[in-house]
Amino acid sequence: MRSAPDKDPPSLILIRRQRRSHSHSLVLKKKKAMQVQVQVDVDAAGRYAFTPSLKWDPHVEAYFSHAYGASHFSRISSALTRPSSYSCLRVNTLKTSTHLVHSKLLQLLRHQHQHPPLISQNPALPDVLYVWGTGPHHPSYHPHPRPAAPLKEVIISRKCAEAVLRGAQIYVPGVMACSAHVEKGDKVAVSVAIEKPTHTGGWTLGITRGTVLHGTPSDIRYEDRHGLYIGEGVAFMSRTGIFRAKEGIAVEMTNRVYHLPSFNDVLEGEIFLQNLPSIVTARVLDPQPGEKILDMCAAPGGKTTAIAILMKDKGEVIALDRSHNKVMDILKLADEMEIKCIKAYKLDALKSVNMSITDENEVKSEEQSVIVDEECLDLTNLQKDEKGRYLSKAVMRKRMRQMRNGPGKNNSKGSKVANSKGFAPNSFDRVLLDAPCSALGLRPRLFAAEETVDSLRRHGTYQRRMFDRAVQLVRPGGVIVYSTCTINPGENEALVRYALDTYGFLTLAPQSPKIGGPGIVGSYRIDETHTEEWLKESEAELVQRFDPVSDMDTIGFFIAKFMVGMKREA
């Protein structure tokens, strides 16, 4: 007779049940963790990538598609969202040589980079160095070891992001939102906020500066940031510091989509960072030593100093801008480069013609503002008026503002700026009009939807008025060079059409160096009453259009050169 098996004691049965339950719980937790990790990976693949898409006003898109062809304009639109693959450095040959600067840069870049960027030259531009970057890279998003805990994040403004893509760091004013508890030294993921339409028809970022990010789908702009991840950085300040400070680096980028060397404070006075078409523009003007040249819209001074260097600092270069601070920037740059022939004046280019002036050397008035350190200021002399009577606090505050900002100035930088009453007609041998424009050729560009067909037409109207002044100021036998940094034919080819049809004594001149492509031929019917005329076939080859899609990989830019014959009434 077989004996019955011994029964396990109740305590052992309980332990086994607990083990099975615990094992089942671990399996469930592991599955859940894997699901979360998969979700993070899927989310990261979409959110943490840089795949921007430039959106346009539908009517503007139709207009550009007609000018370029739909397929080509699509490629232009894509190219505008990324920076050029190189930086151009123009050498100040008055102080140094291209060979010497090349050697200095190589030494500097080898010290800063394990794999220093390539530096090259173009025989057509002997004073220019190309410093090549790399990209696009695909910075990986590394979440916290616990999948449910995301990396701390920072959202920056679109304008800040465009600078970062060109090699800049993230400065305090550009930070819009930030995760809670970010401390100095923390790694952060950096994304971009793009403007959104408002109910009133305008555009806004729609983010209150200082907004807290929680890393959840409830965050502001959580979905909108898909494809707008530009890399990782290290916080230089705590969250509190970022939103309290007025200036300084907030985040140092350590892993970027595009790696372009920064040349901030590098070889000051010896080099100038400038877009290739802008360098070409000054050479197309072909200024000669001893001539009198006008740069009508000169800030920040890049083309002005290029002209002066080509003239070997012999002659006179007049630089105009209507902003006090921008005139100061021009003078500061000229001083850094040790250029003596530049005179900068505060003057609106539309008011640059003065028919009553007969003496070209008429004295210009000067305005002066003073920089005041309020912490070191003795207030004794501000407390009393000329008769020794004590002043009210309101009057004292007004005097303080006047001392800080200068008479009639708002936040001016200080020092002297000369005002001009304008210039007599036919005063200049050559005139450069690098006109204010829609700037739709600048790269990288992450937003363009604010421009409409009407706003583009207004740019063209303003430029024609400025061109009229240029025609008045240049002497017969002189030269006018017109340039813009936009892809808009209404501001480029249409301006040339206006100039040739309005002024019979103007002719298009060949350009040297000729690096860009031909202009756009044809016309576009904007509405029932207006057709915009562009160039004829014979004229298209005489202008230069720089296409962001071309092998030159430049910004969008346009240059036209006019020879001035014997003048007569238009």
Side-chain angles (χ1 to χ4, degrees), residues 53 60-61 170 197 235 239 241 332 377 426 455 487 491 510 530 565:
S53 176
V60 171
E61 186 169 4
I170 298 173
R239 174 190 162 80
K332 179 176 181 291
L377 183 66
N426 305 321
S455 70
I487 61 172
E491 300 173 70
H530 181 70

Side-chain angles (χ1 to χ4, degrees), residues 149-170:
L151 193 68
K152 294 177 181 179
E153 297 198 43
V154 167
I155 297 179
I156 61 176
S157 69
R158 183 261 309 174
K159 290 185 178 180
C160 176
E162 290 170 349
V164 170
L165 290 170
R166 292 192 297 269
Q169 302 295 351
I170 298 173

Side-chain angles (χ1 to χ4, degrees), residues 165-289:
L165 290 170
R166 292 192 297 269
Q169 302 295 351
I170 298 173
Y171 288 82
V172 162
V175 180
M176 302 305 299
C178 180
S179 296
H181 311 301
V182 168
E183 299 296 337
K184 182 178 180 180
D186 284 351
K187 181 187 286 188
V188 293
V190 181
S191 298
V192 186
I194 305 294
E195 288 86 341
K196 290 287 184 180
T198 65
H199 65 280
T200 59
W203 297 88
T204 180
L205 282 179
I207 298 179
T208 302
R209 190 165 186 272
T211 296
V212 178
L213 301 176
H214 301 286
T216 65
S218 62
D219 277 346
I220 189 167
R221 295 292 184 86
Y222 185 85
E223 294 297 331
D224 294 342
R225 283 180 275 148
H226 273 66
L228 292 172
Y229 172 63
I230 61 172
E232 292 179 355
V234 174
F236 259 36
M237 303 179 183
S238 67
R239 174 190 162 80
T240 302
I242 289 173
F243 294 114
R244 282 185 179 174
K246 294 183 178 180
E247 58 185 17
I249 295 178
V251 177
E252 182 182 58
M253 295 298 293
T254 55
N255 196 4
R256 300 169 178 265
V257 177
Y258 292 94
H259 292 186
L260 291 168
S262 174
F263 296 98
N264 189 34
D265 298 329
V266 173
L267 301 181
E268 282 191 358
E270 296 185 40
I271 60 173
F272 186 78
L273 183 64
Q274 195 168 19
N275 286 305
L276 178 62
S278 297
I279 297 173
V280 172
T281 301
R283 287 189 164 271
V284 167
L285 185 66
D286 193 26
Q288 299 300 310

Side-chain angles (χ1 to χ4, degrees), residues 429-443:
D429 298 298
R430 300 171 196 263
V431 175
L432 170 62
L433 174 54
D434 184 49
C437 65
S438 58
L440 291 178
L442 294 184
R443 301 170 59 188

Side-chain angles (χ1 to χ4, degrees), residues 4 45 265 303 359 430 501:
D265 298 329
K303 296 182 186 69
D359 181 3
R430 300 171 196 263
D501 291 349

